[in-house]
Amino acid sequence: ILTILGNSAVLAAAVKRSSLLKSPELLTVNLAVADIGMAVSMYPLAIASAWNHAWLGGDASCIYYALLGFLFGVCSMMTLCAMAVIRFLLTNTSKSNSNKITKNAVCILIIFIWLYSLFWAILPLVGWGYYGPEPFGISCTIAWSKFHNSSNGFSFILSMFLLCTVLPALTIVACYLGIAWKVHKAYQEIQNIDRIPNAAKLEKKLTLMAVLISVGFLSSWTPYAAASFWSIFNSSNSIQPFVTLLPCLFAKSSTAYNPFIYYIFSKTFRREIKQLQCCCGWRVPFFSTDGSAENPISMMWSG
């Protein structure tokens, strides 16, 4: 519910101010599309299976669920990587050169991200890798436990891990370290000025927001990746099904975080949310900026 409502608000705000969107913001929209796509196409089936205490639909629905999970997961990871690279380029180039990152260029990049994600998601269907149920039985993903004695499957896991996880993660870390160093040097140059320019403040805020989005995604998926790799080299019976369930749920929660990060750091997004509330005739107490003592959660967000 949080994923659908939050990311729907992001998409509604983007549509409302579509003519004012900057080219890097299209990647934020793409990330919201991937998150809401995962929630709408996958989560209802997993919830129904949980109520049924067993997977529903057999092999066909299992492959469908695993394929979409892999597709949206890789798409989110590559989108975060692209956001980090573009953020780095914008930070380290002059204003005139930054205008070269056009909306058309970002749209082409987004198309490439989806094609790249689809390519990796289809590979298990054509014989390189496998899809199968999770050990706890109410979700499906890459069949990690089938790779014990399969060189074909292990080569898929190794390639996927390097090209879809390690390389993008290292790129994200390297870009944000470079940005942090650039911002640090900029602050040193103006440390004797009483009032720090608004551009420097904005750059710092945008960088912090992007870092939090990436950290939220990576930290959510790291326990799941660790549990999955454990099952590659060890029997699936060595871990209790309940233990494998928790990292999976934590990973799926990553789709709900980003709208709250946008709400905290973006005045524009907060203004658009308030306008949407007025247009729709409803008010969400959780998103209220009322600083009254009766609403401590609102005090936290407004703070």
Side-chain angles (χ1 to χ4, degrees):
I1 292 172
L2 289 176
T3 297
I4 293 174
L5 290 180
N7 287 286
S8 295
V10 173
L11 295 179
V15 170
K16 188 175 180 181
R17 57 186 300 269
S18 57
S19 60
L20 301 176
L21 283 179
K22 298 179 181 178
S23 52
E25 291 178 309
L26 295 177
L27 290 170
T28 302
V29 175
N30 190 56
L31 190 60
V33 170
D35 288 343
I36 201 171
M38 184 178 287
V40 171
S41 63
M42 296 171 56
Y43 294 175
L45 184 56
I47 294 171
S49 298
W51 282 104
N52 187 54
H53 300 280
W55 182 253
L56 294 173
D59 293 339
S61 64
C62 186
I63 293 175
Y64 156 83
Y65 186 94
L67 185 146
L68 288 181
F70 196 18
L71 171 67
F72 290 125
V74 174
C75 180
S76 296
M77 185 65 171
M78 300 310 296
T79 301
L80 290 172
C81 182
M83 289 172 64
V85 172
I86 290 181
R87 185 85 245 138
F88 177 80
L89 293 176
L90 291 175
T91 304
N92 289 274
T93 56
S94 62
K95 187 175 181 180
S96 59
N97 290 331
S98 65
N99 294 330
K100 293 181 180 180
I101 304 177
T102 63
K103 286 187 177 181
N104 288 337
V106 175
C107 288
I108 293 173
L109 178 60
I110 290 173
I111 293 173
F112 172 79
I113 288 172
W114 280 102
L115 292 177
Y116 184 83
S117 305
L118 184 62
F119 169 76
W120 282 100
I122 290 176
L123 286 178
L125 300 182
V126 297
W128 197 30
Y130 313 96
Y131 286 136
E134 300 267 19
F136 49 86
I138 57 172
S139 179
C140 292
T141 185
I142 297 172
W144 307 97
S145 59
K146 288 186 178 182
F147 301 140
H148 287 295
N149 302 315
S150 171
S151 58
N152 176 48
F154 187 77
S155 64
F156 169 76
I157 287 296
L158 184 61
S159 302
M160 182 272 295
F161 181 66
L162 290 175
L163 298 177
C164 298
T165 304
V166 174
L167 187 58
L170 291 178
T171 302
I172 290 171
V173 172
C175 286
Y176 287 131
L177 286 177
I179 293 171
W181 175 252
K182 180 73 174 181
V183 172
H184 172 70
K185 296 295 289 184
Y187 269 67
Q188 279 188 331
E189 293 174 359
I190 58 177
Q191 62 182 350
N192 295 324
I193 302 176
D194 295 334
R195 188 168 182 267
I196 297 175
N198 290 332
K201 293 181 180 179
L202 178 61
E203 183 67 34
K204 184 177 180 180
K205 181 181 290 188
L206 290 174
T207 300
L208 181 58
M209 182 176 71
V211 168
L212 287 177
I213 293 170
S214 299
V215 168
F217 182 86
L218 294 175
S219 60
S220 298
W221 282 93
T222 298
Y224 180 77
S228 299
F229 269 83
W230 173 269
S231 64
I232 293 176
F233 301 103
N234 300 273
S235 172
S236 58
N237 297 326
S238 61
I239 305 180
Q240 293 294 326
F242 181 73
V243 177
T244 63
L245 172 63
L246 294 179
C248 183
L249 293 177
F250 193 48
K252 287 180 169 60
S253 71
S254 65
T255 59
Y257 301 152
N258 294 341
F260 295 97
I261 296 175
Y262 302 148
Y263 189 83
I264 295 172
F265 287 92
S266 175
K267 292 181 179 180
T268 302
F269 185 58
R270 286 198 297 269
R271 184 173 62 250
E272 294 294 339
I273 290 297
K274 291 176 182 177
Q275 292 177 0
L276 287 173
Q277 292 173 8
C278 294
C279 293
C280 297
W282 49 262
R283 183 176 181 83
V284 181
F286 192 78
F287 277 153
S288 174
T289 54
D290 182 13
S292 62
E294 291 81 5
N295 196 351
I297 294 179
S298 298
M299 290 177 63
M300 178 180 69
W301 287 117
S302 62

